[in-house]
Amino acid sequence: MGCVVPVCDTLVSVFELEKNKVGFEVYPNPANDIINIYFESLDPHPKGKFTLYNMQGQMVNSFLVNGSSISLIVDVSHIPIGMYILEYRDEKGNRMKKKVIIE
């Protein structure tokens, strides 16, 4: 299977354990100029979008997901320093959120 760890073919992905069969990671966190988002879904054609909200609940940025496993690089250099919520919402209304700090 192309792995170095002897039992890697039996390991379960963190994303498979999620209730909605979707997962994402954000790094670096805290961030300065960019954030990287790694998104993975067990659905081969997920339909959803990411939205970045400030702590007052106002939308700062949003972008659609196009693919079941993607990496996004988002420029946040124009966004004021502070804490934000990055939310993924699919077409069925399921949501996942992560805090993002911009320095």
Side-chain angles (χ1 to χ4, degrees):
M1 296 190 73
C3 45
V4 215
V5 181
V7 294
C8 73
D9 59 333
T10 61
L11 296 176
V12 177
S13 167
V14 170
F15 298 116
E16 291 176 333
L17 299 176
E18 292 291 337
K19 175 184 169 192
N20 300 324
K21 308 293 188 226
V22 169
F24 72 92
E25 293 298 325
V26 181
Y27 57 92
N29 197 4
N32 290 317
D33 297 330
I34 62 165
I35 57 173
N36 297 286
I37 302 169
Y38 176 72
F39 170 83
E40 187 173 353
S41 173
L42 294 179
D43 181 349
H45 305 288
K47 292 183 180 162
K49 77 174 182 177
F50 282 100
T51 306
L52 187 65
Y53 295 99
N54 64 21
M55 296 312 290
Q56 288 75 39
Q58 300 164 325
M59 183 184 74
V60 176
N61 199 352
S62 70
F63 30 94
L64 297 174
V65 170
N66 185 14
S68 61
S69 178
I70 59 172
S71 292
L72 301 168
I73 298 173
V74 180
D75 179 8
V76 293
S77 61
H78 63 284
I79 297 175
I81 293 170
M83 187 170 12
Y84 295 83
I85 300 295
L86 180 63
E87 176 186 72
Y88 172 77
R89 183 180 294 204
D90 69 14
E91 64 184 350
K92 298 172 188 164
N94 297 315
R95 300 186 298 178
M96 293 184 67
K97 298 178 182 181
K98 297 208 184 247
K99 290 180 187 175
V100 177
I101 297 172
I102 299 179
E103 296 183 327

